[in-house]
Amino acid sequence: MAPSETASQARVGLGMPAWLKSSSDGWTLFFMLALVCLCLVAISENARNNLTILEVAWQQNIQLLLDGLFIGAIFAFAAYGLALVWGVMNVKNLCQGEYVIMGGYISYCMYANGIHPFFGFPVAIVLMFGFGWLMYFLVIKRVIDRDLFTSLLATFGIAIVLQQGLNLIFGPEVQTARSGLPTATITIGGGSFTFAWIKLAAFLMCGADAGRLALVIVLFMKRSRMGQAIRATAQDPRAARVMGIDTGKVYAFTYSLNAAICGAAGVLIAMIWVIQPFYGITHSIRSFVVVTAAGFGNLPGVITAGLGLGVAEQYSGFVLGADFQQATVVGLLLLVLIWRQIVENKYRRVVE
Amino acid sequence: MLKSHQHAVIIATAATAVAMASPAAAKVEGDTIVLGSALSETGKYSTNGIHAKNGYNIAVDLINKRGGVKVGGKSYKLKIIYYDDESTPARGAQLAERLIRQDGVKYMLGPYSSGLTKAIAPVTEKYRIPMVEAEGASRSLFTKGYRYLFAVLSTSEQYLASAIQLAAEIADRNGKKRSDVKIAMAFENDPFSLDVRAGVLADIRRLGMRVVIDDRLPRDLSDMSATLTKVRALQPDLLVVSGHSKGAATAARQVKELKIATPMIAMTHCESAKIVSKFSAAVNGFLCPTQWAETLSYTGEYFGSAAAFDNKFKATFSGYRTVPYQSAQAAAAVLVWKDAFERANGFDPEKVRDAIAATDMVTFYGPIKFSEAGNNIAKPMVLRQIQDGRYVVVAPSKWASHKVQWPRKVQ
């Protein structure tokens, strides 16, 4: 290693020019430039007009913020489940969204039978936990030790089977469950905004549940035998097995917990948005974006990313138009990855 | 021991016999004319696929019961060979090949949806097999110069045009200048909705109105609240939405939730999204275009009036509270075939094709007359309004049974 410590630090000190030298960093710069160009194109006259609306009718900001936070809480919820499975089992669960939709259908079924869809919450958690367990022993168990693509294919397969199964049972119509909760209108400064109680309820539920869940999981992970086992398994499955930990049980529990969390999120989705057998993919994508941006094993990160994503979607939908609403999600992910790449590169150089 | 060339002769003869026999026998088997169709019986279009199938079947049954199709002084019965295309275009195209090459079908009925029709039309075109379709409304089907494709339904760019016309009439009535009429548009980014949008834009330009919002909803978007927040800030006179069932359900839910007070809201797919049973009073006053409604005053030789078709359909198939227009237009497609066979007075596909092109008839589904491109130019789209939970025709005024309620009462 030729360069002395001072030299390498000097290179870090130079900042941009230094990391430009490697080719991957060149690509990073290229992407950033492309992104900036895209933004400039997007901030057309139309977007500027929309920004003016936000200034004049400033109450709409509150609307966008609230809608974003409320819906973001649900993203964060489903994403947390994915982070768990990803972190502990290293399985990238592509049927995440389908579990969400299944939860939605559970609450829809209750609604269709005259039971308030809120009661779908405990029912979905229990049923989906059971379903997750079943899926683990039927499929996931067999692919967990294989390489990445096997588990991707397997979970993708589950997703397709679930979509078609739901389609056979419920048909392809769009369904909703009505909570019957009213919408409040609040007028301030001559303008008004509304918020739906159902969204607030969902937010509080997710918030409370996420909080409780976080607490329970932290305690569970630190104190309980199973928690220790999960952590040990996440660190080194083979060593854990040698130490007599039943890793299979740990995996099954983790996977089922994820399904239950998704099911709970689905119950709320059915009451806030709409469900259909093939709409799972939207939720899968959002979960992946949130987890990739936040990193697994980082609960506060997942929650912040989820909420931030919700708000960003609302604002970009308003300012840039609905066509950019989802592009923003992916754009943000790209920015986070680029930023992380830069930081890590600097870090690597220091270590070097 | 047979010599090799004898083998060859036998095989060739057998092959020729098979090749000759099956198609020749299949297009008209004895006293039965065989039609073929790939329909979505499973997959995401299954509901509407079954609606279409029921429509085909009810027309075939009625024609057969009433003496069948008379060609050359002889009476023929109709029969349809169905295959399930699983709602996937690739499968649809394969099945069309199979119907034509293996089953020897010479006369085709359309599949469900524009996407499937787009996949099948090149196949029928290749084999010069005429196809009368009833469920593919996309304008792009009729800009490709297909010679063997005919559609009984109105094309997609006409879907919401009547709503724009209605907004202009209301503005005139209220003494408001047309150039002051503000319109907000939210269309899904898919071929069908963009066709609808093109028609709407053309009418807006023609009438000199102003577009204040023009949002395109991505295909997998289930949240419109950002667009609707903009609607609230800009207060347009008319909000137009098209995004299949998901778009209709999402818009209806969020218009209610965000208490959007736009006096006039028009959207496609109200019926298939079942917004009345889902959101009851909140959707009163919404305007929804339809290809056909049982209250229209069309009358034809078969089925009689639109209302009579409605009654007969409900009596034949259980589980229908309202008869979907998908079934009505499917039945109309079969009537076109019957009429064309009789006028062609023969079974040569080319002659029958020319007879279809010359169709000029009035059915319970409306008048049918094809343009050079193959789409039906005689039948208009009608606009219905949801009044007290019921769909009633409010435009065009020639067929309107009720007056339009304006402004919409915000619940």
Side-chain angles (χ1 to χ4, degrees):
Chain A
M1 291 287 116
S4 68
E5 203 177 338
T6 44
S8 82
Q9 269 166 355
R11 270 207 303 180
V12 174
L14 281 174
M16 300 273 284
W19 59 260
L20 255 179
K21 279 173 193 154
S22 87
S23 68
S24 77
D25 290 334
W27 278 110
T28 316
L29 187 74
F30 172 76
F31 276 123
M32 279 187 86
L33 282 177
L35 211 71
V36 170
C37 290
L38 209 76
C39 288
L40 285 178
V41 172
I43 302 185
S44 55
E45 197 189 332
N46 188 20
R48 280 200 302 275
N49 287 344
N50 290 331
L51 281 172
T52 324
I53 300 172
L54 279 184
E55 266 173 51
V56 179
W58 55 269
Q59 295 85 354
Q60 305 310 327
N61 282 304
I62 306 176
Q63 181 81 58
L64 293 175
L65 215 59
L66 285 179
D67 277 337
L69 287 176
F70 291 168
I71 207 68
I74 303 181
F75 296 163
F77 207 43
Y80 181 69
L82 182 68
L84 206 62
V85 166
W86 197 335
V88 174
M89 306 165 69
N90 198 23
V91 166
K92 282 133 194 97
N93 192 31
L94 286 181
C95 51
Q96 196 77 355
E98 275 62 36
Y99 289 164
V100 172
I101 296 295
M102 279 179 85
Y105 273 105
I106 290 173
S107 87
Y108 164 72
C109 280
M110 306 196 69
Y111 170 71
N113 289 309
I115 307 167
H116 196 282
F118 262 133
F119 292 107
F121 221 65
V123 178
I125 288 177
V126 172
L127 285 184
M128 289 307 294
F129 190 91
F131 187 77
W133 196 275
L134 189 73
M135 278 297 120
Y136 175 79
F137 280 103
L138 279 179
V139 183
I140 307 297
K141 188 180 162 190
R142 288 159 225 284
V143 298
I144 195 160
D145 295 331
R146 309 283 178 80
D147 63 359
L148 170 69
F149 290 102
T150 318
S151 71
L152 276 180
L153 268 180
T155 51
F156 186 56
I158 297 180
I160 294 175
V161 171
L162 289 183
Q163 284 170 8
Q164 300 295 345
L166 288 172
N167 190 32
L168 278 181
I169 301 170
F170 297 102
E173 288 89 9
V174 173
Q175 304 291 8
T176 59
R178 268 201 287 171
S179 65
L181 293 180
T183 302
T185 311
I186 294 167
T187 312
I188 32 167
S192 64
F193 66 92
T194 60
F195 71 89
W197 284 105
I198 172 65
K199 283 190 182 171
L200 183 67
F203 181 73
L204 292 179
M205 246 160 156
C206 283
D209 272 38
R212 208 179 320 141
L213 205 73
L215 194 73
V216 168
I217 285 173
V218 167
L219 285 177
F220 173 80
M221 291 289 195
K222 286 239 163 94
R223 300 279 162 83
S224 77
R225 195 85 188 129
M226 180 61 117
Q228 285 173 340
I230 289 180
R231 281 190 296 150
T233 312
Q235 276 173 18
D236 189 339
R238 198 189 293 178
R241 231 170 290 150
V242 170
M243 294 304 184
I245 291 172
D246 185 352
T247 49
K249 213 161 152 193
V250 171
Y251 288 149
F253 182 82
T254 313
Y255 196 78
S256 314
L257 185 64
N258 169 46
I261 291 174
C262 287
V267 171
L268 296 169
I269 288 290
M271 285 187 279
I272 292 176
W273 284 353
V274 294
I275 50 165
Q276 202 252 10
F278 302 100
Y279 289 169
I281 183 75
T282 324
H283 302 289
S284 293
I285 291 176
R286 287 201 174 94
S287 297
F288 271 85
V289 168
V290 169
V291 175
T292 313
F296 39 81
N298 178 2
L299 184 58
V302 167
I303 292 174
T304 329
L307 296 179
L309 187 68
V311 175
E313 270 194 24
Q314 292 295 320
Y315 266 94
S316 65
F318 192 101
V319 177
L320 303 176
D323 17 359
F324 284 94
Q325 197 158 337
Q326 296 231 295
T328 313
V329 177
V330 188
L332 277 178
L333 177 66
L334 200 64
L335 275 180
V336 168
L337 291 181
I338 290 170
W339 182 70
R340 204 184 282 165
Q341 174 90 0
I342 294 169
V343 171
E344 275 175 13
N345 255 324
K346 280 186 184 169
Y347 179 69
R348 258 183 231 132
R349 292 238 155 71
V350 175
V351 177
E352 207 181 284
Chain B
M1 197 178 133
L2 288 168
K3 285 188 184 124
S4 66
H5 76 268
Q6 279 174 312
H7 270 296
V9 169
I10 289 168
I11 290 167
T13 322
T16 324
V18 169
M20 300 274 286
S22 60
K27 72 171 183 180
V28 182
E29 291 169 338
D31 65 344
T32 307
I33 304 170
V34 181
L35 304 169
S37 176
L39 262 183
S40 309
E41 287 169 46
T42 57
K44 62 178 170 179
Y45 297 138
S46 55
T47 314
N48 284 326
I50 304 281
H51 290 336
K53 189 178 181 184
N54 289 343
Y56 287 150
N57 286 341
I58 197 171
V60 165
D61 286 348
L62 184 74
I63 291 170
N64 288 346
K65 228 180 267 168
R66 293 206 6 206
V69 183
K70 290 188 186 60
V71 177
K74 199 181 153 197
S75 212
Y76 292 86
K77 287 202 175 338
L78 286 176
K79 186 185 131 188
I80 306 176
I81 302 180
Y82 291 111
Y83 288 120
D84 174 16
D85 61 33
E86 298 154 25
S87 306
T88 46
R91 187 88 183 111
Q94 276 171 11
L95 291 172
E97 290 260 358
R98 176 170 170 181
L99 280 165
I100 295 166
R101 290 182 50 181
Q102 282 185 26
D103 302 327
V105 167
K106 294 266 186 268
Y107 323 108
M108 292 279 283
L109 284 162
Y112 178 77
S113 88
S114 294
L116 267 299
T117 313
K118 248 176 228 176
I120 290 176
V123 179
T124 51
E125 203 67 19
K126 182 172 88 183
Y127 294 102
R128 298 166 178 264
I129 299 292
M131 170 158 80
V132 180
E133 62 106 346
E135 314 286 352
S138 175
R139 194 170 52 150
S140 56
L141 281 167
F142 307 99
T143 53
K144 297 206 167 60
Y146 290 139
R147 210 176 109 78
Y148 296 87
L149 177 71
F150 300 92
V152 298
L153 75 178
S154 308
T155 43
S156 47
E157 81 278 5
Q158 301 172 40
Y159 268 56
L160 281 170
S162 46
I164 308 296
Q165 185 66 43
L166 190 64
E169 283 169 25
I170 288 172
D172 292 347
R173 211 195 302 155
N174 296 338
K176 189 171 179 172
K177 267 199 290 183
R178 283 183 178 181
S179 55
D180 288 343
V181 176
K182 290 183 286 182
I183 297 176
M185 313 196 297
F187 288 94
E188 192 179 327
N189 222 346
D190 76 299
F192 170 81
S193 305
L194 291 181
D195 276 0
V196 178
R197 178 176 174 274
V200 165
L201 264 187
D203 268 43
I204 291 176
R205 287 214 190 93
R206 185 168 58 78
L207 296 164
M209 297 167 166
R210 210 147 57 86
V211 176
V212 290
I213 298 172
D214 181 10
D215 268 6
R216 274 183 235 181
L217 312 170
R219 201 171 273 217
D220 49 358
L221 185 78
S222 30
D223 184 12
M224 278 182 59
S225 47
T227 304
L228 291 175
T229 305
K230 228 185 308 182
V231 167
R232 186 167 49 209
L234 292 172
Q235 301 180 341
D237 301 284
L238 167 64
L239 168 65
V240 221
V241 180
S242 174
H244 300 273
S245 308
K246 175 170 61 167
T250 308
R253 160 162 263 172
Q254 298 192 328
V255 159
K256 179 187 174 209
E257 200 178 273
L258 293 166
K259 297 196 170 165
I260 301 298
T262 310
M264 202 174 158
I265 296 179
M267 57 166 82
T268 61
H269 296 85
C270 301
E271 295 89 348
S272 55
K274 299 209 171 85
I275 59 171
V276 172
S277 61
K278 285 199 184 90
F279 308 108
S280 50
V283 296
N284 272 337
F286 279 34
L287 294 160
C288 313
T290 184
Q291 293 278 358
W292 176 84
E294 69 282 1
T295 51
L296 290 169
S297 53
Y298 303 132
T299 321
E301 186 194 340
Y302 284 86
F303 297 109
S305 65
F309 175 82
D310 185 68
N311 286 333
K312 187 172 170 57
F313 194 89
K314 282 181 195 157
T316 312
F317 301 103
S318 59
Y320 283 98
R321 271 202 314 179
T322 52
V323 175
Y325 65 75
Q326 284 88 352
S327 302
Q329 58 205 23
V334 179
L335 298 183
V336 167
W337 269 119
K338 188 237 171 211
D339 182 64
F341 280 126
E342 294 189 341
R343 277 186 293 108
N345 206 19
F347 297 111
D348 176 42
E350 204 58 38
K351 285 209 182 96
V352 181
R353 183 251 158 224
D354 291 342
I356 298 173
T359 299
D360 188 357
M361 62 195 286
V362 178
T363 65
F364 74 94
Y365 172 69
I368 298 173
K369 189 179 159 82
F370 299 113
S371 74
E372 194 76 357
N375 57 319
N376 183 2
I377 43 171
K379 184 190 78 70
M381 284 297 290
V382 292
L383 198 61
R384 294 195 292 180
Q385 187 172 38
I386 303 173
Q387 296 183 358
D388 299 322
R390 284 190 318 126
Y391 289 95
V392 295
V393 178
V394 293
S397 33
K398 192 176 165 192
W399 283 288
S401 60
H402 287 65
K403 270 185 108 150
V404 63
Q405 278 174 5
W406 188 94
R408 181 176 77 86
K409 220 196 294 156
V410 180
Q411 301 276 337

